[in-house]
Amino acid sequence: MVIKNVELETVCGVTSKLPENTLPEVAFAGKSNVGKSSLINALMNRKALARTSSSPGKTQTINFYNVNKAMYLVDLPGYGYTKIAESEKRKWGVMVENYLHSSKQLKAVFLLIDIRHDPSENDRMMYDWILRRGYPPMIIATKLDKVKRSQVQKQLKAIRDGLNLESGTVIFPFSALSKQGREEIWGYMDALVADDAE
């Protein structure tokens, strides 16, 4: 997709009412510090559209990015950050669950996993939840530039095994540095939007 215009249109906190969008939505989930903001900036060809931070837990809201007035990229709060109070984590969990349960326009959920590490218990819970809600789970293996090329297939297998992925589940290896994987992810999202328009 050629990005002509993009804007952060809606920001929802724990007490906000979710927007009733009419355009297709694609959501991005993952633990804190997995590189969600860097991925969204790379997809949009923007340097600082989504706020990146070296300290995890920066995204505490659900952020709706309107792309070309054709679709939304939805940035969900990161999970698994230990320095956040349990009460806050629960609020985030309810907020995310409410969104995934109630959005009428959500077409797919991308689950981001750091390619350097085996999936965590939180990752497995999120993956199972996506499956139970009936969304096609798409995995993005982030931080590809942090592993040697010879290690990539081994790490992808660890993700497949760790999540017990269904046969045929696609994993997109991705690097925010080199933008490797960007076109493949957009190809999939473009197809979703095209299907929706038919």
Side-chain angles (χ1 to χ4, degrees), residues 171-182:
I171 301 182
F172 297 97
F174 175 78
S175 164
L177 206 61
S178 69
K179 306 287 196 298
Q180 183 176 337
R182 180 184 184 274

Side-chain angles (χ1 to χ4, degrees), residues 90-182:
R90 277 195 295 276
K91 285 179 190 169
W92 292 4
V94 168
M95 179 169 66
V96 170
E97 198 165 324
N98 182 37
Y99 165 69
L100 294 175
H101 183 62
S102 63
S103 171
K104 294 180 173 63
Q105 298 300 329
L106 184 58
K107 304 303 173 192
V109 181
F110 284 97
L111 178 59
L112 279 64
I113 307 285
D114 187 328
I115 196 168
R116 298 171 298 176
H117 307 300
D118 290 350
S120 67
E121 184 59 33
N122 283 326
D123 291 328
R124 285 191 287 273
M125 284 170 60
M126 190 70 202
Y127 175 73
D128 289 342
W129 208 89
I130 293 167
L131 275 184
R132 284 204 306 274
R133 285 282 166 227
Y135 294 110
M138 311 301 300
I139 311 299
I140 298 177
T142 62
K143 309 197 181 188
L144 178 63
D145 47 277
K146 307 274 190 191
V147 295
K148 293 178 180 170
R149 190 173 293 182
S150 60
Q151 294 293 303
V152 170
Q153 289 308 315
K154 174 175 167 276
Q155 295 305 114
L156 292 178
K157 183 177 187 306
I159 291 174
R160 286 189 184 282
D161 293 345
L163 291 176
N164 195 21
L165 292 184
E166 291 189 339
S167 176
T169 301
V170 177
I171 301 182
F172 297 97
F174 175 78
S175 164
L177 206 61
S178 69
K179 306 287 196 298
Q180 183 176 337
R182 180 184 184 274

